[in-house]
Amino acid sequence: QVQLVESGGGLVQAGGSLRLSCAASASISMFNAMGWYRQAPGKQRELVARITSGDSTNYADSVKGRFTISRDNAKNTVYLQMNTLKPEDTAVYYCYARVWVSDYWGQGTQVTVSS
């Protein structure tokens, strides 16, 4: 079983920045992939950014050029640097990990961007 704990959410004005962190209870170097999803009220959960064990990354079109995902294997932590935030980025952000055929999720952290 893998536990994922997110931190770094909060309230920020449009144009501001936040960095989310996701700390895993196991060695992330063994994970197939990690990433961030988000879910806004009344909307489906959507992929924001993903990073594989080979450090390949992909992003939702809506965040390309503004968000950056990275990993620190020594700290078993994945980060999401979010710049130039927009009100439409407001959502609960969830960390996830794919380990072999299993998916694990964090509890979520709220990001609110005011206009």
Side-chain angles (χ1 to χ4, degrees), residues 63-83:
V63 307
K64 282 180 181 177
R66 300 188 297 123
F67 291 11
T68 303
I69 189 169
S70 61
R71 57 194 291 162
D72 185 335
N73 288 351
K75 295 182 178 180
N76 292 324
T77 300
V78 169
Y79 304 97
L80 184 68
Q81 178 66 44
M82 306 186 294
N83 298 328

Side-chain angles (χ1 to χ4, degrees), residues 14 38-41 43 46 48 62-63 66-67 84-93 111-115:
R38 67 186 180 187
Q39 187 166 20
K43 295 188 177 181
E46 63 174 355
V48 176
S62 59
V63 307
R66 300 188 297 123
F67 291 11
T84 319
L85 283 160
K86 304 176 180 180
E88 51 263 43
D89 294 318
T90 295
V92 177
Y93 284 69
V111 171
T112 302
V113 184
S114 63
S115 57

